[in-house]
Amino acid sequence: MERPRPAGRGTPGSLVAGALLWAALALPALTADRLGLNEPRPLWLQLAGLGVLAAAVALCRRQPLASFALTAGLSLVTAPALFTVSYGPALGTFALLLGLRADRARPAAAAFAAVGVAGTARIVLVGVDPAPEWLVMTGTLLFGCVFPWLGGRYWRQSRALTEAGWQRAARLEDEQRHAEERARLRERARIAQDMHDSLGHELSLIALRAAALQVAPDLAGHHRAAAADLRAAAADATDRLHRIIGVLREDDEPVPLAPAGESVEALVARAAESGLPVRWESPDAAPAPEPGGVAERLMHRVVREALTNAARHAPGAPVVVAVTGQAHGTTVTVTNGRATEESTPSSGGSGLLGLRAAVTAVGGEFRAGPHGEGFRVRAYVPAQQTAVAVPRTPAAPFALARRRVVLGLGAAAGAGVVLVGAAFGWYAYTETHSVLDPGAYAQLRPGTPYDEVARVLPDRSVADPPAERAPAPPKGADCRYYRSSGELLVSVDHFRLCFDQEGRLVAKDVVPRAGLSGEGREEYEEFAR
């Protein structure tokens, strides 16, 4: 089934999709300020943000990394902590598209690192409360950028593997058809080989019987001529059978034939009854090959082919069939002497080549060649077929890819949890160890030496003081800020203590928490006094 083609670049479909994407991402940017989810921004800044989103949407197909970089820069300009309701959805969307459309992972990792460094620098320079803002920035970078990017890469791998799966299925179908065709060819070759070897052997035995009949002393002349013609016809039939059926044989892929219901010794006895001067020798009493096994089938085939060749090419020559059995295999030797009668001319066959391939295929040895005045065929067949190592089936590529993505997600989540946990722990430690008890603050009086004041002061002072909400400090004074409460992740009141150059307390002020009105501030200061 043909898969649909994706819309091309610049087509009406891609333009409509880009416009819809921009509208979906621009909606939070337009409504967040009006709903009070963001600090109010001027109109020109909102329009500039919409323009940046439009540019990011236009580049997201060809340059997904540039689209993400534009959105991340816009988020950092809007909020040092990177997270904003206006551009948070756009940041996660372009991170997802970056993982879906970018081939390489290193540029994306470098972009994430650059965003983290830039966000940290901006928080240090212009951040109001660096620790909480850095925590928010880190969490946004991990869970709003890295996780969507990994999800996009997982999606991309899933699509690629699905397409590869369809291609593999089509290739397997082709291979299956080819395998079926090869199986039909092998079956045809097996049948042809069986016909050639079996019928050729039987025709050779018929020729032997005709030759014995031809030389019978009590046979009339015309019968003797008929026996000669029968012998010649059997020899010609054997040659024609070889030429016609031999073209179907596959010597490089031999198929062992099932024995014709007889053992090797019975085969030799039947050939001797047909007039072939053959003798059976079995010098030892070693166990015979397993009936119906590979060794017995191959030995039967070797002996049958050797007897056929001896009857055709060396008529009248004595033949000796010797079988030697060992614990690890069996050796069969067929030796014939010099021909005593005139042989019928015939073309060379491929039977010995097929035997060599069949024997060596199971780890055996095969030799055939002249021996003295005759010819000898020797084959060694091991007791068991040589085991062929089966290659391991590799794990499914989709499972491997899914495992890599899950490991990546787990590593990112683990790193994020450790990093955020460590940062939050440090933030909690510094904030809770910079708390000045309001009662102790109320007992402090201007002019008190620092050594006496230090007895009630906490271990640390506030590292990120709300100086913008505090009154102007005395000239030349060293001012320190302390928290009035150990509450975390919320704005609390701060105490400011200012000391002169001689170390005396010259001023004490209460810096109200964010959002506290002037009237509430005066009431709190009156209470603190």
Side-chain angles (χ1 to χ4, degrees):
M1 182 175 62
E2 185 177 359
R3 300 175 64 251
R5 296 182 179 180
R9 299 171 181 173
T11 60
S14 63
L15 294 178
V16 172
L20 292 177
L21 177 61
W22 176 83
L25 298 180
L27 182 61
L30 292 174
T31 58
D33 295 350
R34 292 176 173 82
L35 296 177
L37 301 177
N38 281 337
E39 294 291 335
R41 295 175 299 159
L43 179 60
W44 70 268
L45 190 58
Q46 297 184 23
L47 295 178
L50 296 179
V52 173
L53 288 180
V57 170
L59 294 174
C60 66
R61 287 187 177 274
R62 299 184 180 182
Q63 300 292 335
L65 183 60
S67 298
F68 172 78
L70 286 175
T71 310
L74 179 61
S75 299
L76 286 176
V77 170
T78 305
L82 186 63
F83 175 77
T84 60
V85 178
S86 298
Y87 305 120
L91 188 66
T93 300
F94 287 116
L96 175 67
L97 294 178
L98 176 61
L100 182 62
R101 295 173 178 172
D103 297 332
R104 302 171 57 192
R106 291 185 179 179
F112 296 147
V115 171
V117 172
T120 302
R122 179 167 170 76
I123 290 173
V124 171
L125 295 176
V126 301
V128 176
D129 203 358
E133 291 180 354
W134 190 84
L135 286 175
V136 173
M137 188 270 295
T138 304
T140 303
L141 184 61
L142 286 173
F143 299 102
C145 297
V146 176
F147 272 27
W149 172 72
L150 290 174
R153 286 187 62 82
Y154 179 83
W155 190 3
R156 174 188 177 88
Q157 290 178 352
S158 177
R159 289 170 52 185
L161 290 172
T162 300
E163 183 176 357
W166 284 110
Q167 294 178 356
R168 178 176 175 81
R171 186 169 62 253
L172 290 177
E173 289 181 358
D174 294 340
E175 292 178 356
Q176 181 66 23
R177 289 195 295 268
H178 294 328
E180 292 176 356
E181 182 65 24
R182 288 195 298 269
R184 287 193 294 269
L185 293 177
R186 289 194 186 98
E187 182 65 16
R188 185 176 65 177
R190 189 193 67 82
I191 296 173
Q193 183 172 335
D194 196 4
M195 292 176 61
H196 177 274
D197 294 344
S198 300
L199 296 181
H201 179 72
E202 299 299 333
L203 289 175
S204 298
L205 296 182
I206 291 175
L208 287 175
R209 291 180 180 272
L213 183 61
Q214 180 183 359
V215 297
D218 57 346
L219 192 66
H222 62 283
H223 292 303
R224 195 183 304 276
D229 294 339
L230 178 60
R231 177 184 178 186
D236 292 341
T238 303
D239 289 339
R240 286 197 299 271
L241 179 66
H242 168 73
R243 288 194 301 268
I244 295 173
I245 302 180
V247 297
L248 301 177
R249 300 181 60 169
E250 294 184 358
D251 295 328
D252 56 338
E253 295 183 0
V255 180
L257 300 177
E262 61 181 357
S263 63
V264 176
E265 186 176 0
L267 172 66
V268 173
R270 187 161 59 89
E273 292 176 358
S274 300
L276 183 67
V278 58
R279 185 175 76 255
W280 169 262
E281 291 183 357
S282 183
D284 56 15
E290 179 183 357
V294 175
E296 186 186 36
R297 292 198 301 268
L298 283 178
M299 288 175 55
H300 188 278
R301 180 179 172 185
V302 169
V303 173
R304 184 176 61 185
E305 182 69 21
L307 293 179
T308 302
N309 290 339
R312 291 174 57 192
H313 303 292
V319 182
V320 178
V321 178
V323 176
T324 304
Q326 293 89 18
H328 56 277
T330 305
T331 301
V332 59
T333 305
V334 182
T335 307
N336 65 269
R338 183 172 58 86
T340 60
E341 302 175 8
E342 182 180 357
S343 61
T344 304
S346 61
S347 58
S350 57
L352 295 181
L353 296 176
L355 289 177
R356 183 184 302 276
V359 173
T360 56
V362 298
E365 297 179 359
F366 182 85
R367 294 179 182 178
H371 179 72
E373 296 182 349
F375 198 84
R376 184 174 67 179
V377 175
R378 173 175 291 178
Y380 165 75
V381 181
Q384 294 182 353
Q385 186 175 357
T386 304
V388 179
V390 179
R392 285 186 174 183
T393 303
F398 181 71
L400 294 177
R402 182 170 54 188
R403 190 179 307 165
R404 287 195 297 267
V405 173
V406 170
L407 290 177
L409 289 172
V417 170
V418 171
L419 187 60
V420 173
F424 184 79
W426 175 252
Y427 165 72
Y429 173 81
T430 57
E431 297 300 289
T432 55
H433 284 72
S434 61
V435 177
L436 176 59
D437 184 77
Y441 170 80
Q443 295 177 2
L444 295 177
R445 294 292 180 265
T448 305
Y450 176 78
D451 293 339
E452 297 182 10
V453 176
R455 299 173 184 173
V456 298
L457 295 180
D459 298 338
R460 304 176 60 88
S461 60
V462 175
D464 52 337
E468 71 282 354
R469 301 196 302 270
K475 186 176 181 180
D478 178 21
C479 297
R480 302 179 184 181
Y481 293 79
Y482 301 92
R483 295 169 60 89
S484 63
S485 172
E487 297 179 82
L488 301 177
L489 302 179
V490 295
S491 180
V492 299
D493 301 317
H494 287 71
F495 299 133
R496 187 181 71 175
L497 303 179
C498 297
F499 300 88
D500 59 12
Q501 296 180 355
E502 297 180 0
R504 293 189 300 268
L505 180 64
V506 296
K508 51 180 288 192
D509 301 284
V510 177
V511 182
R513 57 186 174 272
L516 191 63
S517 63
E519 182 179 355
R521 171 180 174 177
E522 293 176 359
E523 293 178 355
Y524 190 88
E525 290 181 349
E526 183 65 26
F527 169 78
R529 293 192 185 93

